Amino acid sequence: MTEPVKIHRLVSRPQFLAAAKGVSQARGAVVVQALRRSDGSDHIGVGFTATRKIGGAVVRNRAKRRLREAARQLLPLHGRPGDDYVLIARMGTAERSWDRLLDDVRSALTRLATPQGPDAEARRSSPISGQGPRGPGAAQDDGTE
C-alpha cells in the first residue's frame, strides 16, 4: 500500500516568491504557480493568496477557504511530489460553482504536471529560463527604427 503524500503549507514570503519564478497556469477562477524544489524532499508544498483586487476581507477569506479545500482534495491526486504550488484567487473564485472551481484547479494541476516541450523540465526547475517573453531569437522592440 502506498503512503499518502505529505502536504506542507508555504508560510514565508521567500517561499511564495520562489514559486512565482516557476511556471504558472491560469484556468477560470484560479492561477496556479508551480516550482520544482531541489531539496530532495518528496512532500508537496502549497500556499494560497488573494489580492485586494478581488474584494474585501470577507470575499478574500472565502476565496482562500475554497482554494484550501480544493487543494486538500486534488493535490494528493494531481500534484507532483517535490513541487511547491501557490494557488492565487481571481475574480469570481468566491462565487464560482464548486464543481467548476474543482475543474479549474484540476485542469491547472494536470497541465503543470505534463511537460510542454523538450526543455520544459529545465524551465520548471530553473527560475530563469534564459529566454525573453517572446521566446528565443525573437526581435526585441527597443524603440529604434
Side-chain angles (χ1 to χ4, degrees):
M1 187 160 98
T2 62
E3 292 196 25
V5 176
K6 294 193 185 296
I7 298 175
H8 294 200
R9 288 288 299 270
L10 304 180
V11 292
S12 69
R13 180 171 166 78
Q15 292 172 316
F16 281 81
L17 293 176
K21 292 178 181 175
V23 293
S24 66
Q25 283 292 318
R27 293 286 186 265
V30 67
V31 175
V32 180
Q33 298 173 332
L35 180 70
R36 187 72 150 154
R37 285 190 320 275
S38 58
D39 63 359
S41 175
D42 63 348
H43 71 271
I44 296 174
V46 64
F48 308 92
T49 188
T51 66
R52 286 188 288 185
K53 287 203 279 188
I54 70 163
V58 173
V59 173
R60 292 194 311 270
N61 288 335
R62 181 166 194 249
K64 288 190 287 186
R65 277 195 311 271
R66 297 183 86 208
L67 290 178
R68 279 193 295 270
E69 181 59 22
R72 187 190 69 75
Q73 290 182 20
L74 297 174
L75 275 177
L77 303 173
H78 300 286
R80 288 181 40 170
D83 281 8
D84 283 341
Y85 295 96
V86 174
L87 280 72
I88 303 171
R90 296 174 85 182
M91 289 287 203
T93 301
E95 297 86 25
R96 196 163 185 91
S97 74
W98 181 243
D99 290 334
R100 288 190 64 194
L101 183 62
L102 286 177
D103 285 342
D104 293 342
V105 174
R106 182 181 304 113
S107 173
L109 289 173
T110 303
R111 180 74 178 203
L112 288 168
T114 58
Q116 286 97 30
D119 60 342
E121 189 60 35
R123 284 195 310 265
R124 284 181 62 79
S125 61
S126 172
I128 301 172
S129 67
Q131 297 180 2
R134 296 182 212 147
Q140 298 294 320
D141 183 17
D142 60 0
T144 60
E145 306 236 5

